[in-house]
Amino acid sequence: MAWSRRRQLPSHPVSNLTQPGAALERLSFPAADELAERFAEAGHQLYLVGGSVRDALLGRLGSDLDFATDARPERVRELVDGWADAVWETGIAFGTIGARRRGTDLEITTFRADTYDRQSRNPEVRFGDSIEADLVRRDFTVNAMAVDLLRRRFVDPHDGMAALARRRLDTPATPQESFADDPLRMMRAVRFVSQLGFVPEPRVLDAIREMRDELTRITAERIQAELSKLLCGRFPRRGVELMVDTGLAEHVLPEVPAMRLEIDEHHQHKDVYQHSLVVLDQAIDLEEPENSPDLVLRLAALLHDIGKPPTRRHIPGGGVSFHHHEVVGAKMARKRLRALRYPKDVIEDVAQLVYLHLRFHGYGKGEWTDSAVRRYVTDAGELLPRLHKLVRADCTTRNKRKAAALQRTYDGLEERIARIAAEEDLARVRPDLDGNEIMRLLGLPPGPLVGKAWRFLKDLRLDRGPLEYDDAVAELRRWAAEQGITPDESADG
């Protein structure tokens, strides 16, 4: 298990810096330098700001750059017209003009001095006149730094550089003021814990615990976006734990803290919450490093046992059962992800993985026929590679012998799937007769009966494997007779 790949804190260049000069000297974007010159020639200030400065100091700057300027949006539009390869104004109501130049995306926002009504997260947009006033309204000190690219002047009124070097998360104003202005910043805090391995200052944690109910002001879509970024970070377990410990999870994924079941003195079942966090870690370790983080797999790993609390039953004489927790859990996952406004395909994929994650445990008893293997593959469909990872990650026993036996058993199932797939093309299981042939043989018009016959033949195909044509026709006619359908004998041609 490659724990070290994802568990260690990153070694950032910033950890060895006491001054930003070395990192900023390496900052070279021709488009950004050209833009700075254009603004200076027009008598305006322009600063690289926020996450762009933070990421430059961390050695991870991408090609999306954020700027702040004293120029008003209409003037910004004039300055980039004819210079940029593309310009967009989707954020102009908030003072932002977007531009693209030589493959670099630039978002240029007029200095802001917003006020908030504290009832929603929508500010009353007011433009400011100084970079210092603009920075104090930002979410965290590590995002409240700016660079004058033309003069290579570093602006850090809130000691963001020191916080970055210590990997600490604090706010420029008090956390209470910051979170009252925009409660989504509490989710951003736990997201930075996951993405960057930062540690929130005690006053930030206290404010989140105190103000967690303010998150109800935020739309589900915005919360979902932060949750997805958190789960796709380098340290998602830390982010989830912080959500649970501060109470934010009660407004985001209440099913997760609900898994903290009281464990009786005989430890008749695992700590479901801690088990789920370990499964999340282990599922991540099974992802292909060259691919992007798998949001569906990570959601399924975190939520696979959420059906256990409502299905827990104490068995007379000792013991605990969680009968059908995978069925209940799939329904719960579907309901929660809908509430968070996830796309339909994500919802259905996660719910199906939760539903299927327990099925493998019947395989180890040696009772699976080839038919059962076919159904396992068919029910998983395109999710089969993810299901393989989820089932393997779900083994968290500390008994090394038992863990090795489970992995060997699953190896055997995968080998059996590969053998049957090679013989029967399991990826495209279809009935031995298609809809047109069913209609011809039974003399049926298009309609529900044809679909019913098709499903019967598909089940037969899963049970018995490929049939000869004459055998398939005989089975279809037998089924039709049981249904009271009189086949058209002339259809035999």
Side-chain angles (χ1 to χ4, degrees), residues 234-308:
R234 293 188 66 184
F235 312 102
R237 177 173 178 170
R238 297 180 190 181
V240 171
E241 288 175 327
L242 187 56
M243 275 203 306
V244 171
D245 292 345
T246 58
L248 282 178
E250 299 291 347
H251 298 293
V252 182
L253 288 173
E255 297 81 4
V256 172
M259 289 191 288
R260 294 183 296 183
L261 298 176
E262 181 179 351
I263 306 299
D264 61 57
E265 60 180 336
H266 301 295
H267 295 278
Q268 294 175 325
H269 65 80
K270 295 178 181 178
D271 182 322
V272 182
Y273 170 64
Q274 290 297 328
H275 163 75
S276 297
L277 294 178
V278 174
V279 173
L280 173 62
D281 276 342
Q282 295 186 165
I284 292 170
D285 286 332
L286 293 172
E287 291 179 355
E288 292 79 11
E290 66 274 11
N291 294 336
S292 300
D294 190 337
L295 176 63
V296 167
L297 177 63
R298 295 182 183 203
L299 279 167
L302 181 61
L303 302 179
H304 77 285
D305 272 349
I306 58 173
K308 279 191 171 180

Side-chain angles (χ1 to χ4, degrees), residues 166-272:
R166 294 169 48 238
R167 295 190 177 88
R168 306 297 289 189
L169 207 57
D170 204 352
T171 52
T174 67
Q176 286 79 6
E177 290 178 275
S178 182
F179 300 155
D181 282 348
D182 185 357
L184 190 64
R185 289 173 175 173
M186 294 185 285
M187 281 297 294
R188 285 173 60 82
V190 295
R191 191 243 293 180
F192 285 134
V193 168
S194 170
Q195 287 184 324
L196 300 171
F198 288 174
V199 177
E201 292 287 0
R203 71 171 192 158
V204 171
L205 292 176
D206 290 343
I208 293 176
R209 293 187 180 101
E210 171 190 332
M211 303 179 67
R212 61 194 182 193
D213 293 344
E214 293 293 311
L215 199 62
T216 57
R217 290 162 44 191
I218 306 301
T219 64
E221 290 84 355
R222 300 302 296 268
I223 293 173
Q224 177 242 103
E226 291 296 329
L227 175 63
S228 295
K229 292 175 184 176
L230 182 162
L231 288 174
C232 290
R234 293 188 66 184
F235 312 102
R237 177 173 178 170
R238 297 180 190 181
V240 171
E241 288 175 327
L242 187 56
M243 275 203 306
V244 171
D245 292 345
T246 58
L248 282 178
E250 299 291 347
H251 298 293
V252 182
L253 288 173
E255 297 81 4
V256 172
M259 289 191 288
R260 294 183 296 183
L261 298 176
E262 181 179 351
I263 306 299
D264 61 57
E265 60 180 336
H266 301 295
H267 295 278
Q268 294 175 325
H269 65 80
K270 295 178 181 178
D271 182 322
V272 182

Side-chain angles (χ1 to χ4, degrees), residues 325-400:
H325 77 268
E326 75 282 9
V327 178
V328 173
K331 292 178 180 178
M332 292 171 64
R334 188 176 285 109
K335 182 178 180 180
R336 176 54 52 198
L337 297 181
R338 281 175 181 162
L340 287 168
R341 303 292 191 271
Y342 272 99
K344 184 177 180 180
D345 59 334
V346 172
I347 295 171
E348 293 307 316
D349 285 352
V350 173
Q352 185 69 350
L353 286 170
V354 172
Y355 175 71
L356 292 174
H357 85 273
L358 203 61
R359 188 177 294 184
F360 157 73
H361 293 282
Y363 181 77
K365 299 176 183 178
E367 298 171 355
W368 279 27
T369 61
D370 282 357
S371 170
V373 175
R374 292 187 196 99
R375 288 184 181 279
Y376 187 75
V377 173
T378 302
D379 289 349
E382 294 181 354
L383 294 173
L384 186 62
R386 285 182 171 128
L387 183 59
H388 288 332
K389 294 183 179 72
L390 178 59
V391 173
R392 289 184 181 276
D394 196 24
C395 174
T396 61
T397 178
R398 295 181 181 179
N399 185 319
K400 293 183 179 180

